[in-house]
Amino acid sequence: MNKINILCISFRLIFLASIVPGLFIKPASAQEKLESKGHIPILGWYSIPPEEATSARYLEMKEAGFDISFSFLGSPQDVQKSLDAAHQAGMKIVISCPELKNETEKIVKRFMDHPALAGYFLRDEPAVDAFADLGNWAKRVNAIDPKHFCYVNLFPNYATPLQLGTANYRDYVNKFAKEVPLHFLSFDSYPLTSAEGVYEKWHQNLEIFSDEAKKVNMPFWGFAQSVLFDNKHEDPTLATMRVQMFTNLAYGAQGLQYFTYWTPVSSAEDFRGGPITLEGKRSTVYDNIKTLNQEIKSLAGVFYGAKIKSLQFFGNTIPVGTKRMSVLPAPIRVFATEGKTALVSVMENGGKQFIVIVNTDYRKKMSLTLSGDPSLKRVLKDGAIVPASVYASTIDVEPGDVVIYTY
């Protein structure tokens, strides 16, 4: 081969390399991703009414990231229709009808083998004087069908002693956990007020509830408000729902719920602006929930089955009943914020350590300055894992949002 041919070949190689970057570079290793053995179930309260129970409606709900639907159904016929429609869409249902109480054995035996059944709704926000009856009812259901859960949702800590039937909130939760045999504990709280911001005892509510659930070795489920139901609460936005859901997860919640999916009709409350409107159309809340639910599912490797190692707050003021961060989590060397308080939860899951940082302010960004040793990595919203060093040491955390690191 003469020099002219060699020069021509070299020119072609240089030309190809210039128009196809990386053609002759060894390919990089595949992107590291989170792994998970399951996902956090997501339930929609006051969901698809029986007259709207079609496979298309349940598919629409599933596409927004929901796994479980719960509606108050008026009869076994409504239950059957809803279960059948949900099954076609790959959804599950918590069933409810008056006959479940009056004819427990008959109803449980009728529906226990339906592939769309998730569980049985017993009661919402009971006082202590209802615990014994609920415990007996749950035992009757469990004796026939131990596979599916019974569902009871408890008061938040801003309920009055008269509503609770106990002198304090911890006694209320403790007594319920001992007297009513369930697969998990659930409570609702709607802590974002238009006048004051975050209700001052919301995090204390989570402190107590998660602690009592841990004592009896049971998971707990938490809520986010996704419909406007009085003038005291904030309109549901992506930021308001993020701060509620990511705070629940930071406290170790293993199930998440939205109140509501369908906008309810009520003579007692002026419900407005749910994910599905009174007219049966999607609102912007539907789209925001779809975005948030996808983030939650992509981060299942952080939260599903996680064990809380420490949970503290960083900032000038911290919420009532919580702990201030006094020692930096390993391997962080520098940690500072500008803005409202940060919630810092250290978790262990699948042999990995995770640092979950929530901006507790759903109205303003938080400036976060963080650096650590070379083992520190950042977990992105899509589940990708990258070296923390590829990001600037100071970043903005969007209102109510979460930033996650691993090592």
Side-chain angles (χ1 to χ4, degrees), residues 301-317:
V302 177
F303 298 113
Y304 178 77
K307 304 298 181 186
I308 307 295
K309 298 182 68 178
S310 69
L311 203 151
Q312 301 168 86
F313 288 79
F314 184 92
N316 293 331
T317 60

Side-chain angles (χ1 to χ4, degrees), residues 235-266:
D235 286 325
T237 66
L238 183 55
T240 66
M241 292 186 291
R242 269 178 173 161
V243 75
Q244 292 173 88
M245 287 310 196
F246 285 127
T247 299
N248 286 327
L249 290 168
Y251 270 90
Q254 293 298 294
L256 298 173
Q257 305 167 82
Y258 290 91
F259 183 84
T260 62
Y261 177 69
W262 205 281
T263 302
V265 177
S266 171

Side-chain angles (χ1 to χ4, degrees), residues 102-284:
N102 303 326
E103 304 173 51
T104 301
E105 183 176 358
K106 179 180 177 180
I107 294 299
V108 173
K109 286 184 175 179
R110 175 174 173 177
F111 296 116
M112 61 186 288
D113 294 323
H114 198 291
L117 178 67
Y120 307 91
F121 174 81
L122 305 188
R123 178 76 182 269
D124 182 38
E125 297 181 338
V128 164
D129 59 9
F131 288 179
D133 182 56
L134 286 169
N136 290 330
W137 188 5
K139 289 173 184 176
R140 294 202 309 273
V141 174
N142 292 337
I144 305 165
D145 180 10
K147 180 180 177 182
H148 297 99
F149 61 76
C150 289
Y151 177 97
V152 179
N153 182 58
L154 297 180
F155 276 115
N157 66 342
Y158 51 78
T160 66
L162 182 62
Q163 289 174 303
L164 300 175
T166 58
N168 62 69
Y169 187 69
R170 185 178 287 275
D171 287 347
Y172 170 75
V173 180
N174 180 275
K175 190 172 180 63
F176 178 86
K178 291 178 179 178
E179 294 189 15
V180 186
L182 300 180
H183 289 70
F184 59 86
L185 299 176
S186 171
F187 81 104
D188 62 342
S189 179
Y190 309 109
L192 310 187
T193 62
S194 56
E196 301 174 11
V198 177
Y199 172 62
E200 67 172 356
K201 294 184 179 180
W202 176 42
H203 295 95
Q204 183 183 49
N205 200 156
L206 281 158
E207 294 275 343
I208 293 170
F209 206 89
S210 60
D211 185 49
E212 290 300 322
K214 185 178 180 180
K215 286 179 182 178
V216 292
N217 196 29
M218 291 174 65
F220 80 91
W221 291 21
F223 269 85
Q225 176 196 341
S226 53
V227 67
L228 186 63
F229 56 93
D230 63 40
N231 293 324
K232 295 184 296 183
H233 291 93
E234 289 278 20
D235 286 325
T237 66
L238 183 55
T240 66
M241 292 186 291
R242 269 178 173 161
V243 75
Q244 292 173 88
M245 287 310 196
F246 285 127
T247 299
N248 286 327
L249 290 168
Y251 270 90
Q254 293 298 294
L256 298 173
Q257 305 167 82
Y258 290 91
F259 183 84
T260 62
Y261 177 69
W262 205 281
T263 302
V265 177
S266 171
S267 59
E269 297 275 8
D270 180 20
F271 288 102
R272 288 173 282 129
I276 303 296
T277 67
L278 287 169
E279 296 74 29
K281 304 295 184 180
R282 298 180 190 181
S283 72
T284 55

